[in-house]
Amino acid sequence: MASAESLFLAVFVAIAASPMIMGPLIDSAEWLRNETSSFPLLPVLRPLVETETWIWLARVVLVAVATRKLYNFIFAPLRLMRNLADCGYVQHIEKPVSAEAWSQQVSRRRRRGDVPPVYPNGWFNILCSYQLARGESKSVTALGMQLAAFRGDDGVAYVLDAYCPHLGANLGCGGVVRDNCIECPFHGWRFRGDDGKCVNIPYTEKVPEVARTKSWPVVEMNGMIFIWYHAEKVEPYWMPEEVEEITRGDWKCTGMTEQHINCHVEEIPENVADIAHLDYLHGPIFLAGTNLKEMRGGKWDCMQHRWDASWAPCEDPSEKHCSLLNIKAHVQILGRLMPFAFDFKAKQIGPGIVHLPFVLPFGLGRGILVQSLTPIEPMLQRVSHLVFIEKWKPAILGKFVMWVEFHQVERDLTIWNNKSFVSKPMLMKEDQLIAKHRRWFSQFYTENSPRYETERTSLDW
């Protein structure tokens, strides 16, 4: 436990146990004892009423519960999860249906537009590191595929195609980790994690050379497990970027978020080039909420965000897969800008990774938001954030940054979940960065990149 956390616990327990805090409780206990003194209690219970025993017990319980609650609030990591139907949909019918049913109706009826290929080439996060313990296996859906992820006895994460080539059992559903292999739950075929080769079949002496399943290139860094996807089966030619402060342990993770979004994968990173939407959609202060109809004209109108931003691809040829977003967020109260601002320099790394380092005002510390974007299905994306801050700072600082980012993204969710992709948009002069971003993003599509198929090939609807 960090020294700041230990100091907090010691001070809080001392204050909570002081007469100032416990005095009212003791007074209440005295009153209760006087009121119940005439009750015909059993002899074994009478000493508990006539002594201070239960008062001290109540004191211990009160201090323990209050300490735990406050400790979690200030120091424990925060996790915020949103499933697809949890937010971003507005029902316009007289008899509301369940959130799940409505999200399915919107998805089915919406005009998707002439969308680009649905799975760009690059590194994609399939799990956070803490979600895969040593010796654990999991079934994962990503890029329209079923994958089996497991962590071997060596602590390394491996990812294979999920379906056993024998009879199609899912290795991630019940598969047992043996050394650095995963054992099929159906017949016990054992597959090596680093190359997918079958190394043992319990009921035969010779394992055929062709008995193997696909093994995916895996990189684990910054608290996330990434796999490399390329439609042309090309080996990785660029890598995710390591945050040295995280690797060295100088920064700690103080929270994570996960949101599922019903849109095309390109529409989410395109937001960084849509400068005009910042002051309009994200202008109302974050306290105004995420309801797009109600966040204006209310009590929080006296406070606004004001944004200065620019976006451009990286000029270094070795970083052509990267782009930079420079953004300064001001706070305006009663029409006057406050004397502080939040400066962000976000770096997009490929189609699915964003690093957003930040410096808190008033010298409160530094940290980074690591964002990942992973296509689950052609029109279903998962966006995850991990926030890291200096390890000796209370987690509540990082949790505040993450909470604000989470609720700002939820405003975009209502747009993304209901919009159509316009392949030839009507852009104003001030919108030209959007066209530039689309040209930059097109490098992640190749000849065999899969496209969204709309035709039905059977009556199995």
Side-chain angles (χ1 to χ4, degrees), residues 15 44 99 120 251 307 310 337 359 405:
I15 293 175
V44 71
W251 289 358
W307 307 86
S310 63
L337 290 177
V359 178
E405 171 71 9

Side-chain angles (χ1 to χ4, degrees), residues 40 63 83 87 97 180-181 245 248 263 289 327 356 374 444:
V63 170
N83 293 320
C87 62
V97 297
N180 299 321
C181 305
E245 292 87 345
R248 293 197 305 261
C263 70
I327 190 167
L356 200 161
T374 304
F444 304 117

Side-chain angles (χ1 to χ4, degrees), residues 11-27 56 59 62-63:
V11 171
F12 180 76
V13 170
I15 293 175
S18 67
M20 180 180 65
I21 300 298
M22 296 304 297
L25 178 62
I26 295 175
D27 292 341
W56 287 104
R59 175 182 292 192
L62 176 63
V63 170

Side-chain angles (χ1 to χ4, degrees), residues 8 14 42 47 74 138 164 217 225 228 231 280 286 318 334 376 451:
F8 161 80
L42 294 174
I74 297 178
K138 282 191 174 182
C164 178
I225 300 171
W228 171 260
Y280 189 77
F286 63 90
S318 66
L334 297 176
I376 305 301
R451 290 189 170 272

Side-chain angles (χ1 to χ4, degrees), residues 164-367:
C164 178
H166 178 213
L167 286 175
N170 190 318
L171 301 176
C173 296
V176 178
V177 178
R178 308 284 188 192
D179 297 324
N180 299 321
C181 305
I182 187 169
E183 198 169 85
C184 177
F186 201 5
H187 297 89
W189 288 33
R190 190 177 299 177
F191 297 90
R192 203 157 51 200
D194 55 4
D195 60 4
K197 187 180 186 313
C198 182
V199 295
N200 181 60
I201 300 175
Y203 51 87
T204 187
E205 294 183 0
K206 185 177 181 181
V207 178
E209 186 64 29
V210 296
R212 64 176 60 237
T213 186
K214 178 178 174 60
S215 175
W216 291 83
V218 176
V219 167
E220 185 171 8
M221 63 174 63
N222 306 330
M224 295 181 176
I225 300 171
F226 300 94
I227 65 167
W228 171 260
Y229 170 86
H230 201 288
E232 315 302 329
K233 316 300 181 187
V234 175
E235 292 297 312
Y237 50 87
W238 57 268
M239 299 295 291
E241 296 184 8
E242 184 177 42
V243 181
E244 294 183 0
E245 292 87 345
I246 299 175
T247 304
R248 293 197 305 261
D250 295 339
W251 289 358
K252 63 182 179 182
C253 181
T254 61
M256 71 91 63
T257 69
E258 185 176 285
Q259 293 154 303
H260 289 79
I261 305 169
N262 188 349
C263 70
H264 186 269
V265 61
E266 187 174 335
E267 296 182 279
I268 297 174
E270 186 174 282
N271 240 29
V272 301
D274 185 5
I275 306 301
H277 95 288
L278 291 174
D279 275 341
Y280 189 77
L281 185 61
H282 301 290
I285 196 77
F286 63 90
L287 297 170
T290 60
N291 188 310
L292 303 191
K293 287 186 175 182
E294 299 176 357
M295 66 185 186
R296 296 182 180 86
K299 61 182 179 180
W300 297 109
D301 266 8
C302 60
M303 302 176 67
Q304 297 286 321
H305 290 296
R306 289 292 176 259
W307 307 86
D308 295 323
S310 63
W311 174 87
C314 289
E315 297 180 355
D316 187 341
S318 66
E319 291 192 326
K320 67 177 184 178
H321 60 282
C322 299
S323 68
L324 296 174
L325 171 68
N326 295 316
I327 190 167
K328 179 174 284 189
H330 303 272
V331 176
Q332 181 176 292
I333 300 178
L334 297 176
R336 300 184 61 180
L337 290 177
M338 295 295 99
F340 60 86
F342 297 90
D343 284 301
F344 303 104
K345 297 183 184 298
K347 186 174 186 179
Q348 172 94 31
I349 306 166
I353 307 171
V354 176
H355 288 180
L356 200 161
F358 57 86
V359 178
L360 296 172
F362 313 116
L364 290 176
R366 300 184 303 125

Side-chain angles (χ1 to χ4, degrees), residues 32-51 54:
L32 182 61
R33 184 173 58 183
N34 294 333
E35 290 295 319
T36 58
S37 60
S38 60
F39 288 3
L41 298 176
L42 294 174
V44 71
L45 295 180
R46 190 177 299 278
L48 296 179
V49 176
E50 294 179 347
T51 67
W54 73 275

